[in-house]
Amino acid sequence: MIWLVGAGPGDSGLLTLRGREVLERADVVIYDRLAGEGVLAMIPENAERIDAGKSSGSHTLTQSEINALIIDRAKHGHNVVRLKGGDSFVFGRGGEEAEALIEAGLMFEVVPGVSSAFAVPAYAGIPATHRNYCSGVSIFTAHDKNNLLPDFTKTTQIFLMGVSHAGELQEKLLLTLPPETPCAVIENGTTARQRTIRTTLKELHTSIIKNGITPPAVIVVGQVAGLSLECRNSLPLHDKRILITRPAGRGEKLSRMLRDLGAEVLHIPTIRTSTIHGSLAGENISGYDWIGFTSVTGVHALFELLRESGRDIRELGGAKIAAIGGATADALREHGLKVDFVPEVYDGVHLAGGLSHFGGKILMFRALNGTPEINNTFTKYGISIMEICIYRTDYVKLIHVPKDINIIIFTSSSTVRSFCGSVKDMRGVRAVCIGKQTANEARNAGFYDVVVAEQASVEGIVKACTR
């Protein structure tokens, strides 16, 4: 993957969240001298760092060499970040790089940055606009590609909040600009509902009415409005607005993967989990043949409880470890525990079914209000278990649920119940569920379009969203 990232004007705090997210995943970073030392310090230690800095009269690499470098590293399977100061599409030659990538047939994402044109004056206490003093702002580079002062008549004009006054705007612009001047109108920019129409100045007002453009929208007038360097429309989820209901701190990887496929992602937790402090007090966790974990949260809660009570994992002795799925298994391995059993189907029923076949004494670390299917399965096989509830799940009351959601991701039955406790009618919205139990809960709650991930993992969920 390739990202053209605007690093902001220098202060590392002005790098966007998306910019930092992709920078942390970079295998190769090709950076300019204005990227800012604080931002450069965020480059992963194992990433290849390539200085492509340019200053007046001195170029480390020419632009064509930079383009070739990005393409070469990407074609070798690396995640490439092209890191530029400010915003790469504001006098940053990002447009030229995008053209080269499109010509090479490569996918890329533009990650806008905070432009120095606005941020630097703001830090000095100078507003670029002020309703009492001005109604617009023009941005120029002090020299063109021939190192000459620019032709001030060849400018791009951008208008905010101009849809309702498009007729008057068109009339005034036609006094100084040719009728065939390219124009673009971008509605709901940067969201899954983004829509762009291209027209000419003489047809601007008519095109807005004909296409039903409504605010918020940005109008661009000038030769660049005729360019189309957008790559997101070819991504499989470019027009999807996806809601993740996982608890806070548990949706970052999923969000990242969905954004890479073009989705607009909203992470609104519908449940919160909390450790039940003191729940291990007086409990003997030794002498078991199997210890089962039903979630990542359960793993973290156990180690938190062991620390607070001055105990450690050696109490488990020689017990074998079972985990409900890949993420839970990974969490256990991070704590140095070998995982001996993960069911092929990542749910409580199959975890319990597998342990029932192994036999022996079984201890399960679970949520206080967890699904009863696990106990029912053990009972079905005539096996009694020891169960210690070490964390609880509470519903979160949703104050505001965004409109126009295309997909809602549910990773447990409790996320479904909590969500539907706040939102009553989500007909027409697809529910992507991590397993059959969660899917049944969604159907019972009234969802008509329910998709079950073939594998109960982040990768499985993402794949289900693209069906």
Side-chain angles (χ1 to χ4, degrees):
M1 186 63 182
I2 303 168
W3 295 281
L4 306 180
V5 179
D11 182 347
S12 60
L14 295 181
L15 177 66
T16 67
L17 292 175
R18 180 61 174 165
R20 179 162 190 162
E21 183 181 87
V22 301
L23 184 60
E24 290 173 345
R25 298 159 56 195
D27 302 312
V28 181
V29 179
I30 304 169
Y31 62 92
D32 284 351
R33 68 183 183 89
L34 296 177
E37 294 181 358
V39 176
L40 295 180
M42 299 177 188
I43 297 175
E45 186 177 339
N46 59 349
E48 180 185 6
R49 300 163 62 112
I50 301 174
D51 183 357
K54 301 175 183 178
S55 59
S56 180
S58 175
H59 289 187
T60 304
L61 296 171
T62 66
Q63 187 61 54
S64 60
E65 289 173 333
I66 293 171
N67 296 347
L69 191 60
I70 298 171
I71 292 168
D72 174 74
R73 293 299 192 272
K75 286 188 173 180
H76 279 84
H78 298 300
N79 284 334
V80 181
V81 167
R82 174 67 172 116
L83 189 65
K84 304 179 74 70
D87 183 291
S88 61
F89 270 28
V90 180
F91 299 123
R93 304 189 74 171
E96 297 169 56
E97 292 167 355
E99 286 178 317
L101 296 175
I102 290 173
E103 185 177 345
L106 294 173
M107 300 295 298
F108 64 92
E109 177 186 344
V110 178
V111 181
V114 176
S115 174
S116 59
F118 300 106
V120 172
Y123 265 43
I126 302 170
T129 64
H130 190 300
R131 64 183 297 177
N132 291 335
Y133 301 100
C134 63
S135 58
V137 56
S138 299
I139 305 170
F140 298 95
T141 179
H143 55 84
D144 63 15
K145 65 181 181 179
N146 298 313
N147 208 32
L148 301 173
L149 285 175
D151 181 348
F152 296 114
T153 64
K154 294 180 179 179
T155 63
T156 303
Q157 301 186 50
I158 300 175
F159 300 91
L160 310 181
M161 301 174 286
V163 169
S164 59
H165 299 285
E168 304 160 59
L169 180 64
Q170 173 184 295
E171 184 179 339
K172 289 190 176 181
L173 288 172
L174 283 171
L175 297 176
T176 56
L177 294 175
E180 299 303 322
T181 301
C183 296
V185 184
I186 305 115
E187 180 186 58
N188 293 311
T190 77
T191 74
R193 296 160 293 157
Q194 177 172 310
R195 183 166 58 123
T196 303
I197 63 167
R198 285 183 169 79
T199 183
T200 60
L201 183 55
K202 69 178 181 180
E203 298 292 335
L204 177 62
H205 189 208
T206 301
S207 296
I208 287 175
I209 295 173
K210 179 181 177 181
N211 288 278
I213 298 293
T214 59
V218 174
I219 300 172
V220 182
V221 179
Q223 294 303 312
V224 295
L227 297 176
S228 182
L229 306 179
E230 211 280 313
C231 209
R232 294 180 65 86
N233 285 347
S234 59
L235 296 174
L237 297 176
H238 78 276
D239 58 350
K240 297 295 185 289
R241 202 175 201 208
I242 301 178
L243 176 63
I244 297 175
T245 60
R246 302 190 82 174
R250 293 287 309 280
E252 287 77 4
K253 181 180 178 181
L254 179 57
S255 296
R256 185 178 71 220
M257 293 178 70
L258 292 170
R259 287 193 180 99
D260 283 351
L261 296 178
E264 179 188 359
V265 181
L266 306 171
H267 187 185
I268 303 179
T270 59
I271 60 172
R272 69 170 65 91
T273 59
S274 56
T275 301
I276 303 175
H277 296 285
S279 54
L280 282 188
E283 297 286 0
N284 180 9
I285 59 176
S286 302
Y288 289 92
D289 299 295
W290 283 93
I291 308 292
F293 293 86
T294 60
S295 70
V296 173
T297 303
V299 176
H300 295 326
L302 175 63
F303 280 89
E304 181 181 355
L305 290 167
L306 289 172
R307 285 192 298 271
E308 78 175 19
S309 59
R311 301 160 69 175
D312 67 36
I313 203 65
R314 288 176 292 182
E315 289 189 42
L316 297 182
K320 292 184 177 180
I321 306 295
I324 199 169
T328 306
D330 289 342
L332 287 161
R333 293 186 190 104
E334 288 175 4
H335 286 285
L337 291 178
K338 175 188 174 184
V339 178
D340 301 284
F341 173 67
V342 178
E344 290 186 10
V345 179
Y346 295 173
D347 63 29
V349 170
H350 289 83
L351 176 67
L355 290 178
S356 298
H357 290 303
F358 288 120
K361 293 181 63 179
I362 301 171
L363 169 62
M364 299 291 296
F365 289 114
R366 299 195 56 195
L368 178 64
N369 43 357
T371 177
E373 280 83 358
I374 293 179
N375 300 76
N376 295 340
T377 303
F378 280 119
T379 301
K380 173 183 174 182
Y381 288 99
I383 294 178
S384 60
I385 63 166
M386 175 63 180
E387 184 178 83
I388 302 178
C389 298
I390 58 176
Y391 71 97
R392 64 178 296 131
T393 299
D394 295 306
Y395 296 165
V396 174
K397 179 67 175 177
L398 303 184
I399 305 301
H400 172 69
V401 178
K403 299 178 181 179
D404 302 321
I405 299 295
N406 303 108
I407 297 172
I408 303 178
I409 294 174
F410 295 114
T411 54
S412 67
S413 297
S414 57
T415 59
V416 178
R417 290 192 292 269
S418 178
F419 180 85
C420 293
S422 298
V423 182
K424 301 303 181 184
D425 185 4
M426 293 301 290
R427 284 175 292 186
V429 179
R430 169 167 290 184
V432 170
C433 301
I434 200 166
K436 292 181 179 179
Q437 294 169 271
T438 304
N440 289 336
E441 192 76 41
R443 291 188 186 98
N444 292 336
F447 284 90
Y448 298 152
D449 185 1
V450 178
V451 176
V452 183
E454 293 179 2
Q455 183 182 26
S457 63
V458 170
E459 292 76 11
I461 292 171
V462 172
K463 185 177 179 181
C465 288
T466 62
R467 288 189 205 167

